[in-house]
Amino acid sequence: MGWNNWNSFGCDVSENLLLSTSEQLVSLGLRDLGYQYVVLDDCWQQENGRDQNGKLQPEPSKFPNGLKSISGGLHDRGLKFGMYSSAGEMTCARYAGSLDHEIEDAESFASWGVDMLKYDSCYHMGRIGTPLISFNRFKTMSDALQATGRNILLNLCSWGEDFVHTWGMSIANSWRISGDIYDAFTRPDDLCGCDPNVLSDPYCIAPGTHCSVLFILNRVAAIADRSIPGGWNDLDMLEVGQGGMTDEEYKAHFALWAALKSPLFLGNDIRAMPAAAYSIVNNPAILALSQDPHGRSVTRVRRDTNANKDTDTIPLDEWGVGETHVWTGHLQNGDQAVIFLNAAGDDLNMSCSLAEIFTAFGPGGSAPHVRFDWAVHDLWAHRMDIDVAEAILAAGTAEERGALLRKENWYNATETPYADGLRDGDPRLFGEKVGVVEAGGVLRASVQRHAAKVFRLRRIAKDGQEFKGKSIDRGVKDEL
């Protein structure tokens, strides 16, 4: 979790941008919700790239005190420093890449105090085409980083090429599964090169730069279970607060990225963050899905589409009319996350049976979970009030902001890590109970167009019942 400059600033990077943003991460309480990494993306180098010794050089007009100074400032604030390069002869913005310079570049990153490397795939000199070729190209940097002796996370920005989801976990902490996101919920764009209706095409490579939230969700669905603790599918950076989507679309985008265990990197200018965006990305009940100790992604158990849709007459912002999803996944404490996504053009009533929700534990209703009652918790129920968010953003000092956050009793993951809060049943991580689904029953909800309902199901204990081989005795809480 953290922030990356690219979506808002592109090549307009500087020391001041990184340090002023880091101040905001701390004073707005975002660091204490887990947003720890400040990532400097492309365009940080001098135009000639390397010095006479072959070492990468930052642009002095942008970084007059050097990158070691940047990392020192971030570390002093309890943050971590992320950097960028490409496994090619050039970066995507055509600065010097790290291909065939992995050892010296890894040594530079370590000497600058880097904690994470986003490693792109532009200008790769044709070294793609099979999983082994791509694996070896990226593994060279992975090995070089490990050889420095510094713990540097590695994020592969390979856009899903050469089946990266089958080998990325062997050498990296996360790997991109699609082309670059842009600030649209369903709108198709030719620059996102794969056909959105041919989701299973494994030969669609270099899938572009204008991929909508819905496209990326459909792209990851078949490989969502490849995310494992320590290695995750990366759905690209968050667009919340950029202005191209509605509030409900941003809520759906954020919640699904969290539940799918994608790295959560804010992409907006948080120094000028809208209150609505702030109250989305600071929701601890949603962030607890992202940081759940089980570390496994939700998967899609249902996708319904309108097969007769006339794509020539559908407005671009309503692409996917008739399309709905149900995503669900197991959590560490035995709860179950369930997300109803309505990507259609109208509000809809959606439903899903417990048999479908727990199909991963046994098809056709055979999962033992189906025999229990489940309390339904709405994870957006305690979203920060907009007037509170506005007051925090308007406060003049970090101390005033901190006082307002303490007054609201807002969650602080620095003081109480999510694993501890979940174990201890901290109510701020569990939303609000809004109903019950009885054994063998159906979860139902009304979902606005281009929106998602996000639930945590919590098993209700009954006397004498057994679950996972353990009897539930009298006197235990009604809800576990």
Side-chain angles (χ1 to χ4, degrees):
M1 293 173 60
W3 175 84
N4 181 299
N5 65 267
W6 185 257
N7 283 359
S8 289
F9 296 96
C11 283
D12 187 16
V13 295
S14 67
E15 177 179 302
N16 178 66
L17 172 64
L18 297 185
L19 295 181
S20 62
T21 297
S22 72
E23 291 177 358
Q24 287 291 91
L25 284 171
V26 174
S27 69
L28 290 174
L30 294 171
R31 178 200 61 187
D32 291 331
L33 285 170
Y35 295 98
Q36 295 183 335
Y37 288 87
V38 175
V39 181
L40 170 60
D41 213 287
D42 208 345
C43 309
W44 56 267
Q45 298 181 38
Q46 292 181 351
E47 287 197 15
N48 56 3
R50 300 181 183 275
D51 65 13
Q52 63 272 22
N53 297 316
K55 294 287 189 177
L56 292 172
Q57 296 297 307
E59 170 54 50
S61 66
K62 297 178 178 179
F63 303 99
N65 295 302
L67 296 180
K68 180 66 174 176
S69 174
I70 297 285
S71 71
L74 296 177
H75 294 156
D76 288 346
R77 293 181 176 130
L79 297 165
K80 298 180 180 180
F81 183 32
M83 280 287 295
Y84 169 95
S85 189
S86 179
E89 62 177 329
M90 294 186 291
T91 69
C92 296
R94 301 186 182 182
Y95 291 84
S98 292
L99 188 62
D100 299 328
H101 295 273
E102 292 86 355
I103 293 175
E104 56 261 52
D105 289 359
E107 291 173 348
S108 292
F109 299 145
S111 71
W112 294 333
V114 169
D115 303 293
M116 171 192 160
L117 177 66
K118 175 183 174 182
Y119 203 38
D120 223 328
S121 194
C122 285
Y123 302 102
H124 45 56
M125 300 179 71
R127 299 185 201 179
I128 61 165
T130 71
L132 183 59
I133 292 172
S134 286
F135 172 81
N136 286 335
R137 177 164 55 96
F138 285 105
K139 184 176 185 296
T140 305
M141 177 57 83
S142 178
D143 291 344
L145 292 173
Q146 292 186 49
T148 68
R150 182 173 179 81
N151 184 21
I152 301 176
L153 297 184
L154 180 58
N155 167 251
L156 305 183
C157 188
S158 60
W159 319 308
E161 288 183 340
D162 287 341
F163 302 92
V164 64
H165 62 277
T166 66
W167 50 263
M169 67 289 296
S170 299
I171 57 173
N173 302 99
S174 57
W175 48 89
R176 284 275 299 281
I177 54 85
S178 76
D180 293 352
I181 192 172
Y182 81 139
D183 193 14
F185 192 67
T186 59
R187 187 185 187 279
D189 192 295
D190 284 345
L191 288 178
C192 186
C194 298
D195 184 343
N197 295 308
V198 186
L199 304 175
S200 60
D201 179 8
Y203 301 105
C204 178
I205 60 173
T209 58
H210 279 188
C211 297
S212 70
V213 167
L214 182 61
F215 176 91
I216 294 172
L217 290 173
N218 282 332
R219 193 73 180 162
V220 78
I223 58 172
D225 64 344
R226 298 304 179 100
S227 284
I228 59 174
W232 289 280
N233 290 314
D234 179 4
L235 280 61
D236 205 4
M237 294 168 282
L238 294 164
E239 295 283 2
V240 181
Q242 294 285 73
M245 296 189 230
T246 67
D247 188 67
E248 289 297 330
E249 290 171 341
Y250 280 137
K251 286 169 57 183
H253 167 34
F254 180 67
L256 279 155
W257 261 232
L260 280 154
K261 303 299 188 290
S262 176
L264 298 179
F265 282 93
L266 305 173
N268 61 313
D269 183 356
I270 66 170
R271 303 170 307 174
M273 175 178 279
Y278 179 54
S279 71
I280 290 174
V281 302
N282 74 358
N283 183 336
I286 300 295
L287 290 171
L289 296 182
S290 167
Q291 301 300 304
D292 187 80
H294 186 55
R296 298 282 183 169
S297 167
V298 294
T299 57
R300 191 167 66 190
V301 296
R302 184 196 291 175
R303 177 183 183 237
D304 296 327
T305 62
N306 180 352
N308 296 320
K309 63 186 179 185
D310 181 357
T311 58
D312 291 331
T313 61
I314 297 172
L316 285 175
D317 64 349
E318 293 186 8
W319 186 270
V321 63
E323 180 165 347
T324 61
H325 300 178
V326 178
W327 298 80
T328 182
H330 178 71
L331 301 171
Q332 176 74 19
N333 65 351
D335 292 355
Q336 189 80 0
V338 182
I339 301 179
F340 287 175
L341 174 68
N342 175 12
D346 298 305
D347 299 351
L348 294 174
N349 294 320
M350 295 182 62
S351 63
C352 191
S353 67
L354 291 180
E356 283 189 279
I357 288 170
F358 292 106
T359 191
F361 296 94
S366 63
H369 309 64
V370 178
R371 301 195 296 270
F372 295 88
D373 297 346
W374 294 84
V376 181
H377 288 241
D378 179 357
L379 297 189
W380 282 113
H382 299 305
R383 176 185 180 182
M384 180 180 280
D385 290 341
I386 296 298
D387 58 346
V388 173
E390 289 175 342
I392 292 171
L393 291 166
T397 67
E399 290 73 19
E400 290 172 344
R401 288 172 169 174
L404 289 169
L405 287 166
R406 289 190 294 274
K407 180 181 178 182
E408 291 298 312
N409 190 31
W410 212 250
Y411 198 78
N412 185 318
T414 301
E415 296 176 353
T416 307
Y418 290 103
D420 294 346
L422 290 166
R423 180 199 62 214
D424 297 338
D426 191 309
R428 294 171 292 183
L429 303 182
F430 293 90
E432 181 176 316
K433 183 178 177 180
V434 294
V436 172
V437 179
E438 296 183 349
V442 177
L443 176 64
R444 305 178 190 278
S446 297
V447 188
Q448 296 179 43
R449 68 177 296 273
H450 289 197
K453 290 286 189 177
V454 186
F455 301 113
R456 180 185 278 263
L457 303 190
R458 313 206 70 206
R459 184 171 58 85
I460 299 174
K462 292 186 178 180
D463 293 343
Q465 285 186 328
E466 291 187 0
F467 188 63
K468 295 184 179 179
K470 296 181 180 179
S471 177
I472 299 174
D473 298 323
R474 292 182 180 275
V476 295
K477 295 179 180 179
D478 287 340
E479 188 180 314
L480 296 183

